[in-house]
Amino acid sequence: AVVSTQSTGEMNSSTGCGVVLFYTPYCRFSVELLPAYNGLARLFPQLMLLAVEINSYSSSCIHFGAVGTPTVMFYHNSRPVRKIPHNARNLTSMAEYLANITDLELEGKTDFIDEDYDNVELLYSFDWVLLFSVIFLSSSICYNLSNTRYGRILLEKVLKIKRD
């Protein structure tokens, strides 16, 4: 599983290094990254890999520099060292990046296995805020457009076409 219940104290007592994924189960990009992140746990058993659902701990996530999802950060002695770049978002590139910054050896191949896809599921939820935003934006544009000269001309042409 992606989410580990081990603490940062246990992270420090192992190698002092760890990787934290800040994600949301509703974000398509987060869910696409999860199999690669699971693969990292397999390739680097000496590293502590944690996953934090950003909706559950939003203020803590912002404190650690995760303002969007997915954000993958490398930690040493409970301090964030660097974010894993957005162009390193597949198993091979993340494994190479971690191997370069930690000097740790990969334990296995960077091919996906069935276990990497365990517990990976995109949760669908209707976004009411987006719906209301689109309705408000559309009505504001129509109202403001109707108060202009060109808006009235356009409205007259549309009504004329409708009558014909």
Side-chain angles (χ1 to χ4, degrees):
V2 171
V3 179
S4 174
T5 58
Q6 297 171 322
S7 68
T8 55
E10 292 177 68
M11 181 190 300
N12 290 336
S13 66
S14 58
T15 61
C17 296
V19 180
V20 178
L21 167 66
F22 298 96
Y23 76 102
T24 56
Y26 303 103
C27 172
R28 178 177 60 92
F29 304 108
S30 293
V31 173
E32 288 173 359
L33 184 65
L34 287 175
Y37 195 71
N38 285 337
L40 282 180
R42 179 176 40 83
L43 294 173
F44 294 100
Q46 62 274 43
L47 280 179
M48 180 70 56
L49 273 82
L50 306 170
V52 177
E53 185 180 334
I54 201 166
N55 291 338
S56 301
Y57 306 100
S58 59
S59 61
S60 299
C61 296
I62 291 171
H63 172 75
F64 288 111
V67 293
T69 60
T71 299
V72 183
M73 298 189 70
F74 177 74
Y75 285 81
H76 184 263
N77 292 328
S78 298
R79 292 190 174 98
V81 176
R82 61 177 61 162
K83 289 182 184 180
I84 293 181
H86 288 286
N87 60 357
R89 292 303 166 124
N90 60 49
L91 180 57
T92 304
S93 60
M94 282 197 300
E96 289 173 357
Y97 185 80
L98 284 175
N100 285 337
I101 64 173
T102 62
D103 291 330
L104 295 173
E105 297 290 325
L106 293 172
E107 295 193 14
K109 294 182 178 181
T110 58
D111 297 326
F112 286 107
I113 60 173
D114 291 338
E115 287 78 25
D116 293 339
Y117 293 94
D118 287 350
N119 299 320
V120 175
E121 180 181 355
L122 178 63
L123 299 179
Y124 293 99
S125 173
F126 190 77
D127 194 347
W128 289 101
V129 174
L130 178 62
L131 174 68
F132 291 126
S133 298
V134 168
I135 290 171
F136 177 77
L137 183 63
S138 300
S139 61
S140 296
I141 289 172
C142 289
Y143 175 76
N144 287 321
L145 187 62
S146 69
N147 289 330
T148 65
R149 179 174 154 242
Y150 295 113
R152 284 188 222 110
I153 293 171
L154 179 66
L155 183 61
E156 288 173 9
K157 286 184 180 185
V158 168
L159 291 175
K160 182 178 179 183
I161 291 172
K162 186 179 177 184
R163 280 186 237 135
D164 294 338

